[in-house]
């Protein structure tokens, strides 16, 4: 299996502990792959590239490569990287491009080889079981019909940018889609490895299931 870092989607000051944990997990002698396509049409990709460098260069990462075209990629292409960072933006658009380009199939191979993936916001949501946790934030401009995510996190759906005001929306989501939810505030993330799902960051994560809401503190396992 692979290794997964998911963040609630905060600014770099909020995700610093998550980012530091990620850096400790990867080979700094190899470049990081950055995929910013969820922001296509919203923020120029050169601005996205400046941002990702501002996050990870101060933490010791020397080289970052950016892909804005996901077509015709192979496992061999991914082997050159220490990890993959899938950034935030529109979740529907992101999942659509990942599917149409068939990158989802390549990622399956990459994960089987114990690859490392970091998903931020939309990038985290698509790694979960069902992406309709984003429906209160994102417009489905691609007319996506299949809302199943890549489902790498033990059949949990991921709710990013969590605030307590979202609770009613989460319960409605669970009633409709029958999925258990991990809700991540913007300064909170999870690290999923062979050891389980560990909460990282500076605030608790919350598990919504079976009519109950469970608080999980950082450095604890879900």
């Amino acid at each position: 299996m692979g290794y997964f870092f998911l963040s609630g989607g905060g600014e770099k000051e909020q995700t610093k502990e998550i980012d530091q944990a990620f850096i400790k997990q990867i080979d700094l002698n190899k470049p990081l792959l950055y995929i910013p396509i969820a922001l296509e049409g919203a923020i120029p990709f050169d601005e996205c590239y400046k941002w990702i460098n501002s996050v990870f260069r101060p933490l010791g990462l020397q080289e970052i490569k950016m892909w804005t075209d996901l077509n015709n990629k192979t496992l061999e292409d991914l082997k050159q990287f220490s990890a993959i960072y899938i950034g935030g933006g529109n979740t529907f658009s992101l999942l659509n491009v990942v599917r149409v380009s068939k990158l989802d199939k390549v990622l399956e191979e990459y994960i089987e080889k114990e690859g490392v993936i970091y998903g931020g916001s939309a990038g985290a949501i698509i790694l979960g079981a069902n992406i309709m946790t984003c429906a209160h934030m994102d417009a489905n401009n691609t007319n996506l019909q299949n809302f199943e995510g890549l489902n790498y996190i033990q059949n949990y759906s991921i709710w990013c940018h969590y605030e307590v005001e979202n609770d009613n929306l989460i319960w409605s989501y669970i009633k409709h889609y029958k999925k258990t939810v991990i809700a991540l505030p913007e300064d909170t993330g999870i690290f999923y490895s062979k050891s389980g799902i560990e909460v990282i960051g500076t605030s608790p994560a919350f598990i919504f299931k079976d009519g109950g809401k469970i608080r999980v503190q950082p450095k604890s396992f879900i």
Side-chain angles (χ1 to χ4, degrees):
M1 63 167 285
Y3 297 85
F4 300 91
F5 290 83
L6 281 65
S7 87
E11 299 296 328
K12 62 182 179 181
E13 294 79 11
Q14 294 174 292
T15 63
K16 189 172 183 179
E17 287 198 14
I18 305 163
D19 300 336
Q20 288 172 335
F22 171 66
I23 285 293
K24 290 177 182 177
Q25 189 65 38
I26 66 174
D27 181 357
L28 296 180
N29 294 313
K30 297 172 70 175
L32 172 69
L33 172 60
Y34 173 45
I35 298 176
I37 55 169
L39 286 170
E40 185 167 15
I43 298 175
F45 287 139
D46 59 345
E47 292 298 318
C48 297
Y49 188 67
K50 289 177 185 176
W51 172 80
I52 196 75
N53 276 277
S54 76
V55 173
F56 287 114
R57 280 191 177 274
L59 300 180
L61 187 62
Q62 297 302 310
E63 186 178 3
I64 301 172
K65 293 187 178 181
M66 180 170 67
W67 282 0
T68 57
D69 181 354
L70 304 185
N71 291 303
N72 302 312
K73 302 301 185 184
T74 67
L75 179 60
E76 288 302 311
D77 294 324
L78 292 181
K79 283 182 178 179
Q80 64 182 298
F81 300 110
S82 60
I84 304 169
Y85 186 106
I86 306 174
N90 187 289
T91 312
F92 296 105
S93 175
L94 174 60
L95 184 59
N96 184 61
V97 173
V98 167
R99 283 204 189 119
V100 170
S101 67
K102 296 183 169 50
L103 186 70
D104 55 341
K105 305 302 181 185
V106 183
L107 290 177
E108 287 181 12
E109 298 179 77
Y110 176 73
I111 290 161
E112 287 175 4
K113 301 295 185 182
E114 300 196 340
V116 182
I117 300 178
Y118 186 139
S121 191
I125 294 169
I126 70 164
L127 298 176
N130 177 292
I131 71 162
M132 286 300 283
T133 52
C134 79
H136 63 296
M137 302 183 296
D138 295 348
N140 187 3
N141 294 327
T142 62
N143 196 31
L144 191 72
Q145 299 298 312
N146 179 358
F147 305 123
E148 292 182 7
L150 303 183
N151 201 16
Y152 294 137
I153 317 296
Q154 294 187 354
N155 208 35
Y156 286 102
S157 290
I158 309 300
W159 191 286
C160 290
H161 307 281
Y162 170 72
E163 298 176 322
V164 68
E165 291 82 4
N166 298 149
D167 284 17
N168 288 338
L169 290 173
I170 294 174
W171 290 124
S172 295
Y173 166 86
I174 290 172
K175 183 177 181 180
H176 188 81
Y177 292 101
K178 315 299 183 189
K179 298 293 183 184
T180 301
V181 169
I182 300 176
L184 301 174
E186 291 188 341
D187 58 347
T188 305
I190 55 174
F191 172 43
Y192 179 32
S193 68
K194 295 172 184 176
S195 299
I197 303 175
E198 182 181 5
V199 176
I200 52 179
T202 55
S203 295
F206 295 89
I207 312 304
F208 289 77
K209 66 176 181 179
D210 302 327
K213 176 183 176 183
I214 303 168
R215 178 193 302 261
V216 185
Q217 296 290 347
K219 301 182 180 179
S220 300
F221 283 83
I222 292 172

